[in-house]
Amino acid sequence: WRLLRVLVEPYRSAQEPLAELLYQRRLRARGPRVVAIGGGTGLSALLRGLKEVTSNITAVVTVADDGGSSGKLRTELGMPPMGDIRNCIAALADTEPAMARLLSYRFPLADSVDSSYAGHAFGNLLIAALTAVAGDFEEGVRQSNRVLAVRGSVVPVAGQPVTLHAALIDGSVIEGQSEIARKRGIRRVWISPEDAKPSAEALAAIAAADLIIIGPGSLYTSLLPPLLVAGMHEALARASAPRLLVCNVATQVGETEEFELTDHLEALSAHGMADVIDAVLVNDNFKARQPANYPAAPVRIDLPLSARTGPQIIARDVVDDTNAHRHDSRKLASVLLTLYDERSIARRRARPAAPVR
């Protein structure tokens, strides 16, 4: 009994009974095998909710980031960016609040100190150090999962960094995720190198999944980059699990300004992803509090007859009541688990019904 307490004590709160902790762990261990694909804050929010209902989670994370601490380490060390990976590891950690603060801690910038780590997030440096010790980025991320005791696992979509490119409707071409995120009028995005291959762990997780979730996240800079890695489309097409897109609850300044549901679906279709999405989960609660001084709007359900040959549309309340620009982690996970239990997601439907209420 003492040994058992020693093993589990670090992972329970002061108020949580030990028996309840063990019961919840066994319950989560029997949960569905879920693969979540994307990046950014949207994926982290999803993972925080999912880890309460299943521990069989694989987060397949973009490696296209080129800004902030991740961008610096990418340039200086030639490693794939680890900022989104760090956030997902923090979201899946058992001791999430404390771990999130630790991994997100940034060493201060000081003019009087010539510090090579100033401005870097501790979690990024930790992953970089484990990569150097392991000699391989994918193995470094695996070691990070073990060291930080996450529920499930976080894997990079590819073992090398990729660069995001975009063509705008005015004919101009720009490069870099951080630059593209600020632009309106994006017509198409692609990645280089074109021969970047998905990680074996990501492909194995997709093949074994009970449910595959794409998003939520920035449409052009978080969702499409991992989907465009060569081999990912084929892996999703072969998967036996239902494939569900979680649409953003709000538009984003720049890349999706004034977008509605149809615009998101058309963008995915234009990049050849229409056949790997069986259903779309979209928010239908528009009464949440709108943050002040932020020029974004809820993503509305606008499906004219011309757009009704696409995936099944499932409308539910998944928004954070205190912030109309964010998903509620618990609401979202609860809806996803209910849909999975009810087998409500139709595989490869030819014509969807009206939004499910």
Side-chain angles (χ1 to χ4, degrees), residues 273-304:
M273 299 299 160
D275 63 328
V276 294
I277 298 173
D278 299 307
V280 180
L281 177 61
V282 60
N283 176 60
D284 65 355
N285 174 13
F286 303 111
K287 298 179 181 179
R289 186 185 69 84
Q290 293 283 343
N293 303 319
Y294 188 74
V299 174
R300 301 285 180 178
I301 304 171
D302 66 321
L303 284 175

Side-chain angles (χ1 to χ4, degrees), residues 19 47 77 79 141 157 273 288:
L47 297 177
L77 304 178
M79 291 182 180
V141 175
V157 67
M273 299 299 160

Side-chain angles (χ1 to χ4, degrees), residues 215-294:
S218 303
L219 175 61
Y220 291 105
T221 54
S222 291
L223 300 192
L224 279 168
L227 296 178
L228 292 173
V229 172
M232 281 292 287
H233 180 275
E234 290 77 6
L236 290 169
R238 291 193 301 266
S240 59
R243 302 153 303 183
L244 176 69
L245 170 70
V246 178
C247 187
N248 286 349
V249 295
T251 61
Q252 291 182 265
V253 175
E255 59 182 287
T256 59
E257 280 189 55
E258 300 179 2
F259 269 39
E260 296 185 340
L261 176 58
T262 299
D263 299 302
H264 287 79
L265 298 181
E266 288 178 349
L268 289 164
S269 179
H271 289 81
M273 299 299 160
D275 63 328
V276 294
I277 298 173
D278 299 307
V280 180
L281 177 61
V282 60
N283 176 60
D284 65 355
N285 174 13
F286 303 111
K287 298 179 181 179
R289 186 185 69 84
Q290 293 283 343
N293 303 319
Y294 188 74

Side-chain angles (χ1 to χ4, degrees), residues 13 32 46 119 154 173 181 189 191 212 228 230 253 256-257 272 276 279 294 296 299 309 318 321 327 348 351:
S13 64
L46 169 67
V154 179
V173 175
V189 296
I191 61 171
I212 298 170
L228 292 173
V253 175
T256 59
E257 280 189 55
V276 294
Y294 188 74
V299 174
T309 58
V318 291
D321 291 322
H327 282 87
R348 297 184 174 89
R351 290 182 61 86

Side-chain angles (χ1 to χ4, degrees), residues 87-105:
N87 290 333
C88 290
I89 288 175
L92 287 176
D94 268 300
T95 53
E96 180 200 329
M99 189 62 69
R101 289 194 298 271
L102 174 63
L103 296 181
S104 300
Y105 172 78

